[in-house]
Amino acid sequence: MRLWGGRFESGPADALARLSMSVQFDWRLARYDLLASAAHARVLHRAGLLDDNEVARLLAAIEELSRDCQTGAFRPSAADEDVHTALERGLLERVGSLGGRLRAGRSRNDQVATDLRLYLRDHGRRIIARLAELQTALMDQAERHLAEQTPAPGMTHLQHAQPVLLAHQLLAHVQALARDVSRLRDWDKRAAISPLGSGALAGSSLPLDPEAVAAELGFDAPAANSMDAVADRDFAAEFCFAAALAGVHLSRLGEEVVLWTSHEFGWAEIADAYATGSSIMPQKKNADVAELARGKAGRLIGGLAGLLTTLKGLPLTYNRDLQEDKEPVFDAVDTLLLVLPAMAGLVSTVRFHAERLAGEASTGFALATDLAELLVRRGVPFREAHEVVGHLVVWCQVNDCDLPDVSDEDLAKISPHLTPDVREVLSVTGALAARKAYGGTAPERVAEQIAALRAVVDEHAAWAGS
Ligand code: ARG
């Protein structure tokens, strides 16, 4: 079915119909389109454009159609151009010409912008709920390894830098995901504007009530400018950005998992349920979940870039280009809802090798900074302390030993500042405990960090469920 054609003598060419068609991807807006239709029917009734009997019959038909969509009894046909067309056909089939009265004061332009906002606000909450599950999985691992005080070699440039608590590193990922959640919640405030009542672009001459429709659909307010309302897709682009950045965070976590579970690192082993094998190499256990998390960031970023490119040259107001807004946002939703549960499962079941981590935490002269800072506390200028410890490191490299293994005499030969008691700070436990300023890796700071994050994540999850 088509919603236009009165002024045309011939029907559309097949090539046009195929190009124009969006129902194959926008059908997922059906639920939201019907919600908006029910709200619009009530507004038409209050405006005196539908009598009591008509609005009751229309609302009953919308409800029936909604059930039939859910059960699959009603499906779009090959001739329905988009979701709005298919649903109007569904209404006409149920209540005859009365179904056509719903179009008064409404255009697909304000309708589709409304549907997409409703869909995204709903799915933003679902994504937040899944993000909270991944954060919880990370925090549970962090808590377990805080209790065991499992250290890890903290890295910069992928080189051993300073020892950290494994928990601190895991929580760093939780922090990034917490920003993703707050970004989505912030986005939701701007998405909570209702375009309904804007009509095609200029508003309506009918006595509609945009405030009432907005409130009924859970929006904070109706749009202040009808032209902006039908032309604006900032909410879609911003959503894509929030999704893409979350995808980048998942990718970075995925990359870490790939490294941690490599033979060369040997920090952790993925549970069988979240690992894959090889069709030819029987010994293989691969981190495909983590790799797909990393790989799928590409399509999220691509979706954002594509949508921004679609929007950049558009004059006001609605242009059919805007139909291209849907696939990237739908793909972003699908991708995150696919990746997040898999990553949560992987993280909650991965087994860290605490002994290996403890053994590695101080290798690569990772305690060199602690020694330099000790000298600073004893009054040596940092520049000089840095150089003294640098000499010691070279000495160790030449003599193939670690910092604590150097004899008293050799220490003294390298520098008079290196008295035997400097060895006190050359322990991983000491190095961790010393970093006790706010935000540092000391156990008590990490414990506080977990407690604070638990509260934040609980609040996020509660918001998403509301
Ligand atoms: N399927 C269209 C879209 O997604 C609906 C709006 C059509 N409006 C129009 N003026 N042709 O953008």
Side-chain angles (χ1 to χ4, degrees):
M1 194 185 81
R2 264 177 300 128
L3 298 180
W4 43 272
R7 83 184 286 286
F8 289 83
E9 279 170 20
S10 77
D14 278 352
L16 162 65
R18 277 198 302 275
L19 173 62
S20 203
M21 179 90 105
S22 60
V23 76
Q24 68 280 18
F25 54 79
D26 69 16
W27 180 241
R28 65 167 87 191
L29 296 177
R31 215 186 111 210
Y32 306 94
D33 199 71
L34 288 165
L35 282 174
S37 287
H40 187 62
R42 278 188 272 269
V43 154
L44 290 177
H45 174 236
R46 280 199 295 277
L49 298 166
L50 289 173
D51 65 27
D52 293 353
N53 175 18
E54 287 170 332
V55 74
R57 280 168 56 213
L58 261 178
L59 289 174
I62 289 170
E63 220 178 284
E64 187 192 319
L65 185 53
S66 178
R67 271 198 308 274
D68 290 349
C69 290
Q70 263 165 47
T71 61
F74 181 82
R75 299 278 312 147
S77 81
D80 293 326
E81 183 181 304
D82 57 18
V83 58
H84 323 288
T85 314
L87 292 174
E88 184 164 318
R89 176 175 62 78
L91 271 188
L92 293 173
E93 284 166 7
R94 280 160 184 75
V95 288
S97 63
L98 175 61
R101 306 196 58 174
L102 203 54
R103 224 198 276 165
R106 193 170 71 158
S107 149
R108 281 186 293 167
N109 297 354
D110 57 348
Q111 219 175 326
V112 74
T114 305
D115 295 356
L116 195 56
R117 282 173 187 260
L118 288 171
Y119 170 90
L120 284 179
R121 294 189 68 209
D122 190 10
H123 286 77
R125 284 163 171 77
R126 296 184 202 193
I127 289 166
I128 289 175
R130 300 287 89 78
L131 279 164
E133 283 162 13
L134 173 57
Q135 290 176 295
T136 300
L138 285 160
M139 289 189 293
D140 289 348
Q141 286 280 8
E143 205 151 81
R144 210 168 302 146
H145 287 283
L146 174 63
E148 293 173 22
Q149 308 249 325
T150 310
M155 307 216 174
T156 62
H157 313 273
L158 201 60
Q159 309 278 347
H160 287 214
Q162 292 176 350
V164 292
L165 280 178
L166 174 61
H168 197 49
Q169 179 153 354
L170 295 171
L171 295 180
H173 291 286
V174 181
Q175 299 283 1
L177 298 172
R179 290 193 293 276
D180 291 328
V181 173
S182 74
R183 191 171 295 110
L184 280 168
R185 288 180 62 170
D186 189 55
W187 161 84
D188 184 75
K189 287 184 215 149
R190 281 182 296 284
I193 296 297
S194 168
L196 265 192
S198 301
L201 77 161
S204 178
S205 66
L206 302 174
L208 305 176
D209 186 354
E211 272 99 356
V213 179
E216 182 172 339
L217 294 174
F219 288 112
D220 290 344
N225 181 317
S226 61
M227 295 181 77
D228 180 42
V230 296
D232 167 37
R233 291 296 182 276
D234 290 4
F235 67 95
E238 254 193 283
F239 182 89
C240 280
F241 173 73
L245 192 50
V248 167
H249 293 147
L250 292 169
S251 172
R252 294 182 74 172
L253 175 60
E255 168 64 4
E256 294 230 303
V257 171
V258 170
L259 288 172
W260 297 342
T261 57
S262 68
H263 177 76
E264 285 66 23
F265 270 65
W267 290 14
E269 184 173 341
I270 299 175
D272 287 0
Y274 291 95
T276 47
S278 154
S279 53
I280 180 167
M281 296 167 284
Q283 84 285 8
K284 290 280 275 178
K285 194 168 178 188
N286 294 330
D288 289 26
V289 168
E291 291 170 18
L292 284 166
R294 192 176 59 190
K296 283 187 186 290
R299 64 196 295 155
L300 291 167
I301 295 165
L304 169 65
L307 178 56
L308 288 171
T309 311
T310 295
L311 296 177
K312 71 172 271 293
L314 297 185
L316 295 179
T317 53
Y318 180 86
N319 301 271
R320 193 59 180 276
D321 316 46
L322 289 176
Q323 183 166 292
E324 293 295 311
D325 62 355
K326 285 167 211 64
E327 286 162 293
V329 295
F330 292 162
D331 189 67
V333 167
D334 293 347
T335 299
L336 288 179
L337 292 180
L338 205 53
V339 170
L340 285 167
M343 281 299 273
L346 177 144
V347 166
S348 61
T349 54
V350 73
R351 213 166 48 79
F352 286 97
H353 302 309
E355 334 70 57
R356 162 95 178 157
L357 282 158
E360 286 294 302
S362 65
T363 59
F365 308 107
L367 297 168
T369 318
D370 294 84
L371 191 49
E373 287 181 0
L374 172 72
L375 300 186
V376 166
R377 284 198 298 278
R378 292 180 173 180
V380 182
F382 187 79
R383 199 186 153 75
E384 193 184 330
H386 189 282
E387 200 155 292
V388 164
V389 178
H391 289 322
L392 176 61
V393 166
V394 173
W395 194 94
C396 287
Q397 276 175 330
V398 169
N399 292 281
D400 192 25
C401 67
D402 204 353
L403 300 177
D405 308 329
V406 184
S407 70
D408 293 355
E409 304 79 68
D410 289 330
L411 281 178
K413 264 189 259 165
I414 295 162
S415 162
H417 294 305
L418 296 175
T419 49
D421 57 349
V422 299
R423 277 201 203 81
E424 283 163 26
V425 295
L426 293 179
S427 82
V428 169
T429 325
L432 293 172
R435 296 201 159 63
K436 58 181 187 292
Y438 182 77
T441 192
E444 68 263 39
R445 290 294 90 82
V446 173
E448 287 164 9
Q449 194 189 162
I450 293 188
L453 279 170
R454 290 264 189 215
V456 167
V457 171
D458 284 353
E459 200 266 323
H460 284 161
W463 182 86
S466 68

